[in-house]
Amino acid sequence: MGISRKKLGLALGGGGARGMAHVGVIRVLEREGIPIDCIAGTSVGSLVGAAYAAGLRGQPLLDMALNFRWRAIVRLVWPGRGFVSFDKLESFLVRTIGDLTFAGLGMPYAAVTADLATGEQVVLQEGRVAPAVRASCSVPGIVTPVEVGGRLLIDGGVVNNLPISVVRGLGAEVVVAVGLGSPPGTYPRGPLQMGIAALDFLLRRAGDDPSTADVHLPIPVWGLGSFLSTARRRQFVALGEQTTEEALPAIRAALD
């Protein structure tokens, strides 16, 4: 008779280029032999989550992070509902994992989006994966929204940037939530830094309460550059690894 264990789910938050830290988190869990049973992701968290749920492990998952470039996923468009399109992101994901449906993934997975008309959270769990990820990453006002099931959908970060409740709905008994940001503890200088700090605070409060996770991993990144700079992707992976290594006792305690 086998020994039952608690199901572990990851709630992966949004945050642009910072999202490469999610790969570092997953790498440590893999190395430590801690199974991941389900994933919910918002924005870039939906991208990394989809890749893992599709079977990308180890070096291939790291390669996806280290090869990430904006030019590979962004296409300029005539200003209408946005200045750029993420249709290339959709193609990138299809090339990376295949044109999979949610039913074809190796584990329960959900991508969090928002309805542009109502602001309602829309959790995608069926149909094709690539358009769902594209919708979850489509920052309103900058990236064109995506039509899915007759609704115009945008980046889920505006309604739930840390989808803890969503991954619990997938069956997780223990939730490890990865938030892409941690307050610097110092006052910002100048109007631009103040504005970016305010955006960071809003994103932190747009998600489920971190205290509702069994383990919360706030990745210590801050500032506009950390949203945009893909040149720092190795640093972000390393920060994800370091933060997870420090939290291993808490993760094991939650699983026990």
Side-chain angles (χ1 to χ4, degrees):
M1 185 174 180
I3 299 174
S4 63
R5 62 174 181 83
K6 295 179 180 177
K7 292 182 179 179
L8 184 144
L10 292 183
L12 303 181
R18 299 174 178 181
M20 299 309 104
H22 290 319
V23 174
V25 172
I26 291 170
R27 282 172 61 81
V28 172
L29 295 178
E30 283 188 317
R31 186 193 72 205
E32 297 296 319
I34 299 174
I36 300 166
D37 297 289
C38 51
I39 297 180
T42 297
S43 198
V44 68
S46 76
L47 172 62
V48 176
Y52 187 82
L56 242 60
R57 303 285 187 274
Q59 191 62 42
L61 185 64
L62 179 62
D63 288 343
M64 185 191 78
L66 297 183
N67 292 328
F68 183 83
R69 303 286 192 285
W70 288 116
R71 66 176 177 270
I73 67 168
V74 170
R75 180 175 65 87
L76 290 173
V77 295
W78 185 257
R81 287 178 167 148
F83 295 95
V84 300
S85 169
F86 272 174
D87 55 352
K88 291 175 67 175
L89 170 62
E90 189 173 334
S91 300
F92 168 82
L93 191 59
V94 169
R95 289 195 306 272
T96 303
I97 66 172
D99 194 7
L100 299 177
T101 65
F102 283 80
L105 296 174
M107 65 179 64
Y109 161 77
V112 178
T113 71
D115 187 303
L116 182 59
T118 65
E120 174 189 4
Q121 174 177 282
V122 179
V123 179
L124 299 178
Q125 295 178 253
E126 57 184 29
R128 294 176 58 230
V129 173
V133 171
R134 176 185 169 190
S136 184
C137 295
S138 294
V139 181
I142 300 174
V143 185
T144 55
V146 180
E147 184 174 346
V148 177
R151 308 174 84 170
L152 279 181
L153 302 180
I154 57 173
D155 194 313
V158 302
V159 290
N160 193 349
N161 205 42
L162 196 62
I164 297 166
S165 58
V166 177
V167 77
R168 287 206 190 277
L170 296 178
E173 297 168 283
V174 172
V175 174
V176 175
V178 187
L180 299 177
S182 179
T186 59
Y187 292 111
R189 297 179 180 179
L192 179 60
Q193 288 190 18
M194 290 179 187
I196 297 303
L199 174 62
D200 252 316
F201 288 139
L202 287 171
L203 285 174
R204 281 167 57 82
R205 285 159 177 76
D208 290 330
D209 186 343
S211 68
T212 62
D214 296 277
V215 180
H216 176 223
L217 304 181
I219 307 299
V221 285
W222 196 259
L224 179 62
S226 62
F227 281 110
L228 301 176
S229 179
T230 59
R232 296 172 62 185
R233 52 195 174 273
R234 286 188 181 274
Q235 176 192 353
F236 296 149
V237 171
L239 283 171
E241 292 175 340
Q242 177 185 340
T243 304
T244 310
E245 286 165 356
E246 293 170 355
L248 281 173
I251 295 172
R252 290 196 174 100
L255 289 169
D256 288 341

